[in-house]
């Protein structure tokens, strides 16, 4: 499932706990991934070339 990263973390956790693979879009940078809850399967970013 690909919800916006702006969806509240509680709602993202609900989706994860329901057994869905959650891949939020579109984080400003790869370094912003730490703001997502544990259990996301990945995320999309506008800044794919950063480490």
């Amino acid at each position: 499932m690909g919800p916006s990263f702006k969806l509240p973390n509680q709602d993202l956790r609900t989706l994860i706990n329901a057994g869905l693979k959650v891949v939020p879009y579109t984080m400003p940078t790869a370094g912003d991934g730490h703001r997502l809850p544990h259990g996301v399967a990945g995320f999309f970013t506008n800044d794919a070339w950063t480490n």
Side-chain angles (χ1 to χ4, degrees):
M1 161 160 254
S4 169
F5 82 94
K6 294 178 182 177
L7 192 67
N9 276 353
Q10 180 62 34
D11 294 339
L12 291 173
R13 282 189 207 96
T14 299
L15 295 171
I16 293 165
N17 291 339
L20 297 172
K21 293 196 184 291
V22 179
V23 184
Y25 70 90
T26 301
M27 303 294 293
T29 69
D32 292 318
H34 72 279
R35 298 185 339 207
L36 296 170
H38 177 74
V40 295
F43 59 90
F44 293 95
T45 178
N46 283 330
D47 192 14
W49 301 110
T50 28
N51 293 329

